[in-house]
Structure formats: C-alpha cells, structure tokens
Amino acid sequence: MEKSITTDTTSAGLKAYSDGLKFDAKSKHQEAVDSFTRAIKYGYTDIQIFLLRGGILQIQNRHKLAIRDFQKVILHRPDDCYPLFLISVSKYKIGDFYGAILDIKRAITLSLADTEINFEYWNLAYKLGWNSHTDLYRAYLNNYRKNID
C-alpha cells in the first residue's frame, strides 16, 4: 500500500516536533527552534508548538520572532494568561513598555479566573517561590512601571 503525501507530511511534522522537544530538554535551543520550524512547515498544527518555539526564541533574545509566535497562541487561547505574560516580557525587552504593561495587566486579570490551567500555573509559580502566578505577574508589572517612570 502506498502512503499518501498527507500522511507522510503529518508523520514528518510529528517527528520534527518530537525532535524539537528532545532538543529543548537538552537545552539545544537552536536545534529545537529548527525542529519546531520544520514541524510547522510540514503542517504540524498543535498551537503549543508556537508557545514552545516562542519561549526558546525569547531565551535567545530574538524577541520580535518570539512575539509573532506568542501572538498566534493568544489568538487561539485568548483566555490563557501565560502567553500574555510571555509576550509582555518580549515587548518590554524590545522597548515596547506600554504594550508590555497592557499585556501583563490582561495576564493578571486572566490569572484570577478559577480554571484548571490557572491552577497549574499557580503550582508552577509556587514551586518557583511565588505565592501565585498572579503575584509573579504583579512583580513584573511593578518592574515595568519602575523602568518607564
């Protein structure tokens, strides 16, 4: 039986995504970005890939590219505070202070909702020594404000 092009492409996209996860786990950032980009080109459609690639681009100080990826996530997950937090960091780093403040304020508002994902974020922030992810976001907001006054 002959494989269809769609199946081959989907399979290649999934493999590239899997490779990207492995590279990311080993902190091989450029290889992870390249693998995630290849997965996207092959048609991998899970929006999480843009959050992952954006996070790595942010680590690499490639903030304009990270912002593009985070914007895609925000379009698909408008009630998720985390991508708004991440995009605020990149906007701040490129000098878009007011954009950073608007996004972090939206992240704070969304972080107060009683949702399963917010409970996960709360747990992660708590493990990092914060009372909550909301407190973490508020600290960033205060830092952003200090640096524009």
Side-chain angles (χ1 to χ4, degrees):
M1 182 173 153
E2 198 172 313
K3 289 184 181 179
S4 72
I5 293 172
T6 305
T7 304
D8 289 344
T9 302
T10 303
S11 177
L14 187 57
K15 180 176 181 335
Y17 176 73
S18 177
D19 290 346
L21 292 175
K22 291 174 190 170
F23 286 128
D24 187 31
K26 295 177 183 175
S27 295
K28 293 185 175 186
H29 300 301
Q30 190 54 52
E31 292 90 340
V33 167
D34 293 343
S35 293
F36 290 145
T37 301
R38 200 167 40 261
I40 293 164
K41 286 181 182 176
Y42 283 131
Y44 189 81
T45 58
D46 187 331
I47 199 67
Q48 185 70 10
I49 197 169
F50 292 100
L51 189 65
L52 293 168
R53 187 175 71 174
I56 296 167
L57 291 167
Q58 193 174 67
I59 288 168
Q60 295 177 321
N61 291 314
R62 296 165 68 188
H63 294 287
K64 288 182 181 181
L65 292 173
I67 288 168
R68 283 193 357 218
D69 278 0
F70 297 144
Q71 286 171 333
K72 289 175 181 153
V73 178
I74 291 164
L75 281 174
H76 284 84
R77 294 176 11 197
D79 296 330
D80 189 340
C81 60
Y82 186 60
L84 283 161
F85 164 66
L86 292 175
I87 202 170
S88 79
V89 172
S90 283
K91 283 183 177 180
Y92 182 81
K93 292 287 188 175
I94 65 166
D96 181 3
F97 304 125
Y98 294 103
I101 288 171
L102 287 174
D103 288 333
I104 198 72
K105 283 181 171 181
R106 282 181 47 213
I108 290 168
T109 299
L110 292 173
S111 74
L112 298 171
D114 186 16
T115 64
E116 188 175 319
I117 192 73
N118 275 337
F119 182 71
E120 290 176 28
Y121 295 151
W122 178 87
N123 274 324
L124 290 171
Y126 189 78
K127 288 177 184 176
L128 294 172
W130 294 91
N131 288 331
S132 69
H133 59 303
T134 306
D135 285 350
L136 171 66
Y137 299 167
R138 286 182 179 139
Y140 271 77
L141 173 60
N142 290 335
N143 185 55
Y144 296 167
R145 285 179 171 156
K146 278 187 223 171
N147 287 299
I148 62 167
D149 290 338

